[in-house]
Amino acid sequence: MNYKALAERLLPGEYPELSYYETLYPPRDLEKGAEVTRLAPSPTGFIHLGNLFAAIANERIAHQSGGILYLRIEDTDLKRKVDGAVEAVKNALRYFDIKFDEGAEIGGDETYAPWYQRQRAEIYRAFVKHLIEEGRAYPCFCTEEELSALREEQTAKKEITGYYGKYAKCRNLTEEEIYKNLDEGKPFVIRLKSMGNPENKHKFHDEIKGDITVIENDQDVVILKSDGIPTYHFAHAIDDHFMRTTLVIRGEEWLASLPIHIELFETLGFERPRYGHNCSLMKQDGSSRRKLSKRKDPELSLEFYRKEGYFARAVKVYMLTLLNSNFEEWYRKNPEAPLESFKFSAGKMSKSGTLFDLDKLNDISKDELSKLSAEEMFDFLKTWADEYDTDAQKGYFADREKMLKVLTLCMGIGGKKRRKDFTTASQAMKFIQFFFERTPQEDEYRVDGATKRAVLTAFLKTFDPADDGQTWFAKVKEAAAANGFAPEMKDYKANPEAYKGSVADVAEILRIATTGRANTPDLCTIQQILGEKETRARLEAQL
Ligand code: GLU
């Protein structure tokens, strides 16, 4: 077979010498040990926790070694492409402070651009043409129908499905048959002529899983589709080589493709990057564990965290806790240190399923938010509200001084102990809503209407927002005494039958009347923030 002539027929025209690309994309000028890593999502519009998980690992490994993290968009499959997806990826990762050094819509050093695979079609075709010339790739004219019939046949025989060995029909076409098909204008794809034998097993060092066994590939995978665009497998091998990638952390769902990737790198004569396949995120579902699912678990999507207003650092802390077994202890000892000073290691990543627990993340979120100053919390909430809240809620930030007072109180700033009432921005905005508008009553009074009215009337007679906490409380006690409640807790405890309740019950009546809730931060301060007019109006409304 004259492979050179066939290559010219299949991919006509001048292509640069392959060595040209080696010069065009030279090895990077980096210190020894500097890792070049990447994130290579498809623009499907769905960016998930697994992407963030891998992004954090790749980012840490790149940057702590003085290397590079880049963003490549794997858009070879047009069917899966969604408008705005690249922006979505970029925004989602920016929210979590993942800093790319270069890449699609990022810019940076242009040496290794473009970062969209569709813009690199010429490079891939040059290599495909070369493989045809070498007799390592061939045209396949099988139709969709033939391929699905093949799959059915293989499934029925309980054999491995795919295009390989005796099933790779077009692999053995004669020169004549090939040209006849071409003359008839039959569409074709280009397949790799695999030389592997799955009975051969090799040891493979995975940066996360350690030494694993990989069988040789024997699938004649498609490398160039009928539209002249390569498949992901082929494009990613070319790109990882010419973008001078040294290490890839990616999801373990790609382990199954590893034999193909190994053969592609060998066939192309490229040195392979090192791979680490991280385990999937699992969720406890009753007594069993399952993978997080797009359909069932909203928390799989990164959009969820932004919509709910999770504090990015908290999510990152939790991700690092899951990513590296020694992070939690390090963080306990270094709570103030920048997260970047933790020495991340692929070898300390979990080898089998990692349990993702939203409750645990919520606890971490409470801790992280309780470390903020009122001003930092103001900025965090405002940024979130500007994007996600109603106009009314955005309006809460107009009176900066009032909002700072609210946050200082609700976060327990200046008090004996910091409060941990806030989990996310959306939850915090709901929590502080009653300071800005009258909200529906959430908790029920535990006294009858007459008692409630009597207590409120008594308190209203003496209420003065200028009172300090002590004077305020003395007045609550007066209202208690005047209505059959014990003003002192110890008196009530000693003789509960003698009273309707204690001063605590009176405070609760006032609390519900003021805020609609039985549990709030300090009520005296709340009433001061609300001001005399609003406080009186709320209490009077309950009469
Ligand atoms: N484009 C693949 C994806 O969507 C990337 C796989 C890889 O990292 O090699 O996840």
Side-chain angles (χ1 to χ4, degrees):
M1 174 112 52
N2 182 344
Y3 290 124
K4 230 178 150 69
L6 178 61
E8 189 53 34
R9 173 74 191 262
L10 295 170
L11 290 168
E14 282 281 325
Y15 282 90
E17 286 284 319
L18 300 187
S19 57
Y20 162 78
Y21 294 109
E22 295 290 343
T23 333
L24 187 64
Y25 302 117
R28 293 178 186 257
D29 186 17
L30 293 170
E31 295 284 322
K32 196 167 173 287
E35 304 280 11
V36 179
T37 66
R38 44 74 165 178
L39 213 70
S42 298
T44 59
F46 183 66
I47 169 131
H48 55 82
L49 215 50
N51 296 127
L52 178 65
F53 206 56
I56 294 176
N58 281 309
E59 190 276 337
R60 281 295 73 228
I61 290 170
H63 290 152
Q64 76 187 9
S65 67
I68 298 284
L69 171 70
Y70 69 87
L71 175 65
R72 180 172 79 224
I73 301 299
E74 307 215 311
D75 56 355
T76 53
D77 189 355
L78 267 193
K79 281 194 292 284
R80 300 176 65 205
K81 192 167 180 281
V82 167
D83 283 341
V86 178
E87 273 303 298
V89 168
K90 232 181 69 180
N91 292 340
L93 293 170
R94 194 192 299 122
Y95 186 78
F96 295 105
D97 203 25
I98 302 293
K99 291 196 185 75
F100 291 99
D101 302 286
E102 55 193 60
E105 308 306 319
I106 307 281
D109 184 351
E110 294 276 331
T111 313
Y112 301 93
W115 296 284
Y116 284 91
Q117 291 186 321
R118 288 204 156 244
Q119 295 172 17
R120 302 169 66 81
E122 187 207 66
I123 317 172
Y124 310 130
R125 283 185 214 140
F127 278 87
V128 171
K129 189 165 182 181
H130 173 74
L131 292 182
I132 302 169
E133 287 170 355
E134 301 269 290
R136 286 303 313 274
Y138 63 89
C140 167
F141 300 91
C142 289
T143 60
E144 275 304 321
E145 293 72 47
E146 286 172 298
L147 293 175
S148 49
L150 175 63
R151 216 169 305 134
E152 274 170 31
E153 179 192 336
Q154 290 165 332
T155 312
K157 290 186 185 159
K158 296 200 168 31
E159 293 195 38
I160 292 171
T161 57
Y163 209 80
Y164 61 93
K166 63 176 184 210
Y167 294 115
K169 208 170 83 188
C170 293
R171 181 174 171 139
N172 303 313
L173 293 182
T174 62
E175 209 161 355
E176 259 185 351
E177 288 167 321
I178 293 175
Y179 282 100
K180 186 169 168 282
N181 283 333
L182 291 173
D183 290 341
E184 285 170 7
K186 284 197 184 163
F188 61 88
V189 298
I190 306 291
R191 289 184 183 272
L192 173 76
K193 192 181 283 176
S194 170
M195 296 298 180
N197 174 356
E199 285 179 8
N200 296 338
K201 296 184 168 67
H202 299 282
K203 199 171 93 179
F204 179 88
H205 184 75
D206 186 282
E207 298 292 316
I208 297 170
K209 300 202 182 282
D211 288 339
I212 55 173
T213 303
V214 191
I215 58 165
E216 282 180 11
N217 171 56
D218 69 339
Q219 294 272 351
D220 283 1
V221 290
V222 176
I223 54 177
L224 198 70
K225 296 182 282 187
S226 54
D227 59 0
I229 295 295
T231 52
Y232 147 74
H233 296 302
F234 191 70
H236 109 288
I238 301 268
D239 293 343
D240 275 340
H241 175 66
F242 285 117
M243 295 178 178
R244 305 295 173 178
T245 316
T246 63
L247 178 70
V248 173
I249 302 289
R250 62 180 180 186
E252 67 187 354
E253 65 274 20
W254 296 102
L255 257 181
S257 312
L258 188 59
I260 300 173
H261 298 169
I262 293 175
E263 185 170 19
L264 280 172
F265 274 93
E266 275 167 8
T267 311
L268 291 161
F270 297 157
E271 194 186 325
R272 251 190 345 249
R274 281 139 48 236
Y275 288 97
H277 291 89
N278 66 249
C279 53
S280 305
L281 292 169
M282 313 291 279
K283 175 172 177 150
Q284 192 75 36
D285 192 353
S287 57
S288 59
R289 285 182 180 192
R290 58 168 176 80
K291 266 200 210 170
L292 278 170
S293 120
K294 187 172 170 180
R295 203 166 43 82
K296 293 191 209 154
D297 309 310
E299 70 267 32
L300 181 60
S301 163
L302 289 191
E303 184 54 24
F304 168 83
Y305 300 91
R306 290 171 64 205
K307 251 199 197 130
E308 292 292 317
Y310 272 88
F311 187 47
R313 181 184 161 100
V315 178
K316 226 166 154 177
V317 165
Y318 185 42
M319 290 275 108
L320 282 165
T321 308
L322 295 179
L323 276 163
N324 256 195
S325 49
N326 54 335
F327 174 80
E328 201 168 357
E329 197 188 330
W330 175 87
Y331 195 48
R332 209 176 303 123
K333 289 185 187 146
N334 304 278
E336 306 292 332
L339 298 181
E340 295 72 48
S341 57
F342 171 70
K343 177 96 181 69
F344 188 87
S345 139
K348 290 217 163 62
M349 287 172 73
S350 168
K351 293 180 181 22
S352 52
T354 299
L355 194 63
F356 180 83
D357 179 356
L358 203 56
D359 292 337
K360 183 96 197 277
L361 170 61
N362 289 340
D363 287 343
I364 292 178
S365 299
K366 285 182 182 168
D367 281 345
E368 291 299 323
L369 286 178
S370 76
K371 294 177 190 168
L372 297 189
S373 69
E375 283 78 10
E376 286 166 330
M377 185 58 114
F378 183 98
D379 292 341
F380 167 62
L381 292 181
K382 185 170 186 313
T383 308
W384 180 84
D386 280 345
E387 196 168 348
Y388 292 102
D389 251 347
T390 60
D391 285 342
Q393 280 171 315
K394 283 177 197 163
Y396 297 176
F397 297 89
D399 186 344
R400 185 179 171 92
E401 213 184 311
K402 175 175 175 183
M403 181 57 104
L404 287 176
K405 276 188 200 156
V406 168
L407 297 177
T408 303
L409 173 67
C410 292
M411 295 168 75
I413 296 173
K416 275 192 240 84
K417 216 170 143 221
R418 289 288 298 255
R419 297 180 66 100
K420 293 186 181 177
D421 289 331
F422 295 164
T423 317
T424 62
S426 63
Q427 175 270 346
M429 288 303 287
K430 235 182 252 143
F431 189 94
I432 63 175
Q433 196 180 3
F434 69 83
F435 284 97
F436 301 92
E437 49 192 295
R438 291 184 204 168
T439 49
Q441 188 180 319
E442 283 177 26
D443 295 310
E444 294 298 324
Y445 292 103
R446 288 186 294 169
V447 293
D448 58 59
T451 308
K452 172 190 83 174
R453 283 190 294 276
V455 164
L456 292 177
T457 309
F459 179 79
L460 273 167
K461 271 190 202 136
T462 59
F463 172 58
D464 180 352
D467 288 341
D468 61 14
Q470 236 179 338
T471 316
W472 179 88
F473 195 48
K475 289 178 176 177
V476 177
K477 284 182 181 176
E478 275 172 36
N483 288 285
F485 290 84
E488 300 299 336
M489 224 33 216
K490 65 173 189 327
D491 294 342
Y492 176 70
K493 279 199 181 132
N495 199 2
E497 285 80 37
Y499 302 99
K500 277 193 194 161
S502 76
V503 64
D505 299 305
V506 171
E508 184 179 293
I509 297 169
L510 290 168
R511 202 179 294 279
I512 297 176
T514 312
T515 69
R517 296 185 207 160
N519 276 306
T520 69
D522 179 57
L523 184 59
C524 171
T525 315
I526 292 176
Q527 293 184 340
Q528 283 168 352
I529 295 174
L530 289 173
E532 176 160 18
K533 204 167 142 231
E534 178 63 16
T535 303
R536 282 191 183 279
R538 288 190 186 190
L539 300 188
E540 277 158 10
Q542 300 293 313
L543 299 177

